[in-house]
Amino acid sequence: MRAAVHTSFGPPDVVQVVEKPLPTLRPGDVLIKVHATTVTSAECAMRRGEPLWGRVILGLRRPRAALRTLGLEVAGVVDSVGSAVTGFQVGDEVFGFTGFAVGAHADYVRLPATGSLTLMPSSLTFIEAAAAVDGATTALFFLRDKAKVRPGDRVLINGASGSIGTYAVQLAKHLGATVTAVCGPSNVELVKSLGADEVIDYTAHDFTSDLDTYDVIFDTVTKSSFRASRRSLRAGGTYLPTTGLKNNLWALWTALRGGKHVIVGMSVNKRATLPVISSLLHDGTLRVIVDRTYPLARIADAHRYVDAGHKRGNVVVTVAE
C-alpha cells in the first residue's frame, strides 16, 4: 500500500509517499480502506519534531518507526475484520480517530474495533466525515465535559475559524451559550454564518481588554494566556487552553486557589463523543468547513499549506479514488 512517511524531522518535503506492507490484522481490529484523512496543525508540529520536549515521545533525533506515518482522522470503508470483532462488518462506512497510533496517511489503516470508531453519517461524504472527527469531538470535550457550558453562559472562542474553532462556535450555540468569536478579518463572515453572536477581528481589538465579560474563554489555538485573559473572565470563570505545559501548572495552581480557573485535558478517546457528533452532523446541527483538498500524492503540499497558517476549518487529503 501507499503511505506518507517522514524519516526525519523537518519541513514539508521530508514527507514522502512510499510503498509499505499492509498492517497485520489482529483479532480485535478492523482494517479500513482509507478514502479521506486530514493534515492538522498537530501533525505538522509532529513532523517538525515540536515542541522539543515532545521528542521524548516522538523520537529524540528522528521519528520513532511507529510514528513515521502520520494521520489522526480517517473516513473510509471496512475492508476486513478480526476474528473477535462483532460491532463492524466488511463494507461499513466508518469514520474515526487513530490517536497515538496515527497512521491514517495511507491506503489502509488498522484500528481496534473498540477504539474511537463509529459508522459514518449517511448524509456526509468521506471528505466531510474525515474533517468532522477531531475538531468536533475536541470542542465538545472541552465545552460540554470540561467547562460544562450551560444556557445563558457567555463563551468566547479564540481561533474561531480553525478546525476546532468552527465546531466550537456551533457547539457553544447548541449548548445555549451567547458566543463571541475571535478570528482574522477575512474570516468574519464565515464565523458569523456559523452562529456567532459577536465576532471580534483580532487585528482591530484585543479581547483581553474586555473586563469581567465571559464565563468561558476557549483558546483553540493557544495564542492567548491565562495571565492575560483572566481579567476578561467573570468571577469563577473558566479558561480552556488546548495545549501548553504552563497551562498544566496554572490548572494546578488555580484549582488550589479557587475563583477563576484553568482546566486542561486531552481529547484522545473519542468512542463516546463520536456518535454524538455523528447525530449532530446528520441532523444538520453541525456544518463541516473544508478549506482545501489534496490527493495523497501531494500531501507535502497540504503540510506546506497548513504550516503557512490561517487555514479555514480543515485541510483534507483524499486517498481512495
Side-chain angles (χ1 to χ4, degrees):
M1 69 173 187
R2 297 173 304 160
V5 173
H6 70 299
T7 56
S8 61
F9 297 121
D13 288 335
V14 301
V15 181
Q16 301 288 325
V17 177
V18 301
E19 290 291 327
K20 289 181 61 177
L22 284 172
T24 302
L25 197 63
R26 299 169 299 197
D29 291 339
V30 296
L31 185 66
I32 301 166
K33 182 175 176 60
V34 180
H35 281 245
T37 181
T38 61
V39 171
T40 67
S41 299
E43 289 158 317
C44 287
M46 292 172 70
R47 184 207 74 232
R48 295 190 301 267
E50 298 173 352
L52 287 179
W53 60 262
R55 294 200 182 188
V56 174
I57 299 169
L58 300 174
L60 294 178
R61 308 182 82 175
R62 61 182 60 85
R64 296 184 189 277
L67 301 177
R68 290 177 182 176
T69 298
L70 300 174
L72 294 167
E73 300 175 284
V74 60
V77 176
V78 174
D79 183 80
S80 56
V81 299
S83 58
V85 174
T86 58
F88 298 98
Q89 58 186 1
V90 173
D92 282 345
E93 295 183 348
V94 295
F95 72 141
F97 185 71
T98 62
F100 295 123
V102 292
H105 292 169
D107 284 321
Y108 293 87
V109 66
R110 179 186 67 192
L111 282 177
T114 56
S116 301
L117 188 68
T118 193
L119 297 176
M120 259 177 56
S122 59
S123 57
L124 263 62
T125 65
F126 288 112
I127 287 174
E128 292 169 325
V133 178
D134 190 31
T137 53
T138 298
L140 186 67
F141 169 77
F142 277 101
L143 293 172
R144 184 193 67 178
D145 302 339
K146 289 295 184 179
K148 303 189 186 307
V149 171
R150 299 168 296 179
D153 282 351
R154 291 186 59 87
V155 175
L156 179 134
I157 311 295
N158 192 33
S161 60
S163 177
I164 299 173
T166 51
Y167 291 114
V169 170
Q170 298 175 81
L171 286 167
K173 286 298 295 181
H174 176 68
L175 294 169
T178 298
V179 178
T180 298
V182 181
C183 64
S186 62
N187 293 318
V188 168
E189 292 307 315
L190 166 66
V191 173
K192 283 182 179 178
S193 75
L194 298 176
D197 298 284
E198 179 186 5
V199 181
I200 295 175
D201 170 2
Y202 70 80
T203 67
H205 179 72
D206 181 358
F207 76 84
T208 63
S209 65
D210 302 330
L211 304 183
D212 302 314
T213 304
Y214 308 107
D215 297 291
V216 176
I217 293 175
F218 183 22
D219 190 348
T220 70
V221 288
T222 320
K223 294 292 187 181
S224 65
S225 67
F226 176 64
R227 187 186 296 276
S229 302
R230 59 184 168 184
R231 61 182 180 176
S232 298
L233 288 169
R234 291 174 169 175
T238 302
Y239 179 76
L240 294 173
T242 53
T243 58
L245 278 178
K246 287 183 180 179
N247 288 315
N248 290 284
L249 299 176
W250 275 116
L252 291 171
W253 175 247
T254 56
L256 293 172
R257 290 194 61 186
K260 299 176 182 179
H261 55 285
V262 178
I263 297 180
V264 296
M266 293 184 67
S267 173
V268 179
N269 186 341
K270 302 175 185 291
R271 184 171 176 80
T273 50
L274 267 174
V276 177
I277 294 301
S278 179
S279 177
L280 294 173
L281 290 163
H282 184 68
D283 68 18
T285 300
L286 287 183
R287 174 179 156 202
V288 181
I289 304 300
V290 174
D291 187 341
R292 295 190 180 188
T293 62
Y294 295 84
L296 183 63
R298 291 184 55 208
I299 194 169
D301 290 334
H303 276 263
R304 196 169 291 110
Y305 181 68
V306 175
D307 269 356
H310 305 293
K311 68 179 176 67
R312 293 159 57 98
N314 304 272
V315 173
V316 176
V317 174
T318 56
V319 183
E321 294 183 1

